[in-house]
């Protein structure tokens, strides 16, 4: 009986680990048009060396902190980016996430 319970727990743990998937993973193989329809237009688009495009989505994150007098002051800001790589035919083949202090206009993607 205990062996069956342990086996069930093991199967549940392995299954939960195997099904974790990033929201970006489901877009691999999908079309750029479908992504834009779902997420909206990217904040920037670049050509890449694979004769496709890199769609850049970003979110600016603000950090607040307290100064010595207890007043809230704006802390350093950063950007969370998602880079979506598409082939020439518009199909998504890869993505990556990144955190930077640079604005969308300043970033360079390799």
């Amino acid at each position: 009986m205990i062996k069956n319970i342990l086996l069930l727990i093991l199967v549940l743990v392995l299954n939960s680990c195997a099904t974790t998937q990033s929201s970006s993973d489901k877009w691999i193989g999908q079309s750029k048009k479908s992504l834009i329809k779902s997420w909206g237009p990217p904040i920037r688009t670049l050509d890449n060396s694979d004769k496709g495009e890199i769609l850049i989505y970003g979110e600016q994150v603000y950090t607040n902190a307290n100064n010595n007098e207890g007043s809230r002051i704006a802390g350093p800001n950063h950007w969370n980016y998602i880079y979506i790589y598409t082939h020439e035919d518009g199909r998504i083949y890869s993505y990556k996430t990144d955190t930077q202090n640079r604005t969308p206009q300043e970033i360079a993607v390799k």
Side-chain angles (χ1 to χ4, degrees):
M1 178 71 172
I2 292 176
K3 287 183 182 180
N4 290 339
I5 292 172
L6 290 175
L7 180 62
L8 177 63
I9 291 171
L10 180 64
V11 168
L12 291 174
V13 168
L14 290 176
N15 188 37
S16 67
C17 292
T19 59
T20 54
Q21 183 179 26
S22 168
S23 63
S24 300
D25 285 345
K26 71 177 187 177
W27 290 104
I28 302 297
Q30 301 296 316
S31 73
K32 173 178 78 171
K33 288 182 181 182
S34 295
L35 177 78
I36 292 172
K37 187 175 180 180
S38 178
W39 288 12
I43 58 174
R44 189 164 176 207
T45 302
L46 301 172
D47 289 331
N48 70 12
S49 61
D50 293 337
K51 295 187 179 181
E53 291 181 311
I54 304 170
L55 308 178
I56 303 172
Y57 288 87
E59 172 186 34
Q60 190 171 20
V61 179
Y62 297 93
T63 306
N64 291 319
N66 291 327
N67 63 13
N68 292 337
E69 292 83 37
S71 300
R72 292 194 76 70
I73 57 172
N77 298 325
H78 67 272
W79 287 81
N80 291 331
Y81 290 109
I82 299 176
Y83 304 92
I84 306 289
Y85 295 84
T86 66
H87 286 297
E88 192 174 40
D89 66 358
R91 294 282 171 199
I92 297 168
Y93 68 90
S94 184
Y95 74 94
K96 76 173 187 173
T97 59
D98 191 19
T99 299
Q100 292 190 25
N101 290 329
R102 296 182 176 183
T103 65
Q105 296 79 16
E106 297 174 316
I107 58 175
V109 179
K110 294 179 181 177

